[in-house]
Amino acid sequence: MRRLAGLIVVPLLLLSTAACGSDGGSDSTSSKNGLPAISSGAKFGQKPTLDKGEGTPPKELKVDVLSKGDGATVKKGDAIQVNYLGQSWDSDKPFDNSFDRKQPFDLTVGAGMVIKGWDQGLEGQKVGSRVELGIPPELGYGAQGQGDIKPNSTLVFVVDILKATQVPASAKGTAVAQDNTDLPKVGTNDDGKEPTVTVPKSDPPKKLVSNYVLESDGEAVKDSDTVVLNYAAYIWKDRKQFDSTYKTGRTQTFPLPQLTLKGLKTGIVGKKVGSRVLIVIPPDQAFGNQEQQGIPKNSTLVFAVDILAKV
């Protein structure tokens, strides 16, 4: 089973990235739980400056709530938006941060989109909180490292939790008739299980198809949104599945401005959050004449997509 996300989203950061916290406190914080201190930019929303770690780095995950928000508690499966800064324990220079980009990072907690230290450290925190995470190598990038991060590095992150959205298990809505026998048929179950997809033996359409299977009354998706999806994806020609979030048990969060699979983005924009959509993508809006991880060149792709939420 090939994973599609790495092919169709422009990576922004190393991690595969509304309520407000307290305005109180000084512009610096002393070290707690043995984690590095913030020498400036200590308040929620400010870009922090982290000191270099002192002494032996933690052998297990350390979480320090620097300021506690008054928003909802983050649960596994929630789609959240954060700002963050990260650096290695033995360095005083960040390897990445979202503050400079002025672009918060979206993820689904517990979905394996980020390193394990993030999934474990952010679950249970309040929206509007600033937390500091000390992450040992086995919950970070381990022995292989990543980019400028050396192998077996202990990582330190300061994370501002901006907002959280509960993600439903399935699309729900009014079933829309699927009368065209030349198009795939998609199941209408709304129990969170993978819907059936039956691809006909006829030739695929030459133009993009984006049809409701279940139509909700949610807000229409804009091309600037970040969406949380469940999907099953097939190659029309051999009717074989090449990817499925249902098989992994993990939803996928896509920032649409970074989505490079043109037909998938076009098929989602304008559709209502909470809906299930059949999207058939001709080669010129898929991967064209390029083979991609076993997907043959000039393939027509079929997606059954649940638009579960937008962040």
Side-chain angles (χ1 to χ4, degrees):
M1 185 72 67
R2 291 170 286 273
R3 295 298 297 136
L4 187 63
L7 291 175
I8 65 176
V9 177
V10 178
L12 288 179
L13 66 155
L14 295 173
L15 289 168
S16 105
T17 77
C20 59
S22 170
D23 289 330
S26 67
D27 196 43
S28 64
T29 63
S30 59
S31 177
K32 296 180 182 179
N33 294 329
L35 297 179
I38 297 177
S39 57
S40 65
K43 295 180 182 178
F44 183 96
Q46 295 179 335
K47 178 185 174 182
T49 299
L50 270 174
D51 290 345
K52 185 177 179 180
E54 297 180 356
T56 302
K59 301 298 184 183
E60 58 187 32
L61 178 67
K62 296 288 186 182
V63 181
D64 184 12
V65 179
L66 301 176
S67 61
K68 187 174 182 179
D70 57 5
T73 299
V74 173
K75 299 183 296 298
K76 184 176 181 179
D78 283 356
I80 67 171
Q81 187 174 83
V82 304
N83 273 319
Y84 69 91
L85 178 141
Q87 66 188 43
S88 297
W89 179 272
D90 58 359
S91 173
D92 60 1
K93 297 185 182 301
F95 54 74
D96 193 18
N97 84 91
S98 66
F99 294 93
D100 288 344
R101 287 193 295 270
K102 301 186 185 305
Q103 182 177 357
F105 177 54
D106 301 297
L107 68 140
T108 301
V109 177
M113 297 174 59
V114 291
I115 55 177
K116 291 180 180 179
W118 267 50
D119 273 339
Q120 296 178 20
L122 297 180
E123 184 178 353
Q125 304 300 331
K126 293 278 193 179
V127 173
S129 296
R130 166 167 282 197
V131 298
E132 185 174 1
L133 306 175
I135 302 176
E138 60 269 22
L139 298 179
Y141 294 106
Q144 75 274 15
Q146 177 77 35
D148 292 334
I149 300 172
K150 296 181 293 186
N152 297 311
S153 290
T154 296
L155 308 179
V156 183
F157 285 90
V158 176
V159 183
D160 288 352
I161 306 173
L162 304 178
K163 60 181 180 179
T165 303
Q166 288 188 330
V167 178
S170 174
K172 292 183 183 291
T174 303
V176 177
Q178 302 179 67
D179 296 330
N180 189 338
T181 58
D182 291 329
L183 291 178
K185 298 295 184 292
V186 180
T188 58
N189 59 295
D190 59 4
D191 55 3
K193 296 180 180 179
E194 182 171 344
T196 59
V197 178
T198 304
V199 181
K201 296 181 180 180
S202 56
D203 291 336
K206 302 298 184 183
K207 295 183 178 181
L208 180 77
V209 174
S210 177
N211 294 342
Y212 282 115
V213 176
L214 295 173
E215 184 175 2
S216 79
D217 57 1
E219 185 179 352
V221 175
K222 302 186 294 293
D223 60 5
S224 59
D225 286 335
T226 293
V227 292
V228 183
L229 309 178
N230 262 333
Y231 63 82
Y234 296 78
I235 299 169
W236 183 294
K237 184 176 181 180
D238 58 15
R239 296 176 290 282
K240 289 184 179 179
Q241 188 178 90
F242 66 87
D243 195 12
S244 170
T245 58
Y246 298 93
K247 296 292 193 297
T248 64
R250 297 171 176 174
T251 58
Q252 187 66 56
T253 301
F254 286 141
L256 291 181
Q258 279 78 55
L259 192 60
T260 60
L261 188 60
K262 180 181 178 182
L264 184 58
K265 179 178 179 178
T266 301
I268 292 171
V269 171
K271 292 296 189 285
K272 298 173 185 176
V273 175
S275 299
R276 177 171 299 159
V277 183
L278 165 69
I279 303 175
V280 182
I281 307 175
D284 63 339
Q285 296 188 55
F287 299 118
N289 61 3
Q290 301 295 317
E291 185 270 343
Q292 292 283 358
Q293 292 189 9
I295 300 173
K297 63 182 181 180
N298 298 318
S299 288
T300 295
L301 307 181
V302 177
F303 284 80
V305 180
D306 278 13
I307 308 172
L308 297 175
K310 70 173 186 175
V311 181

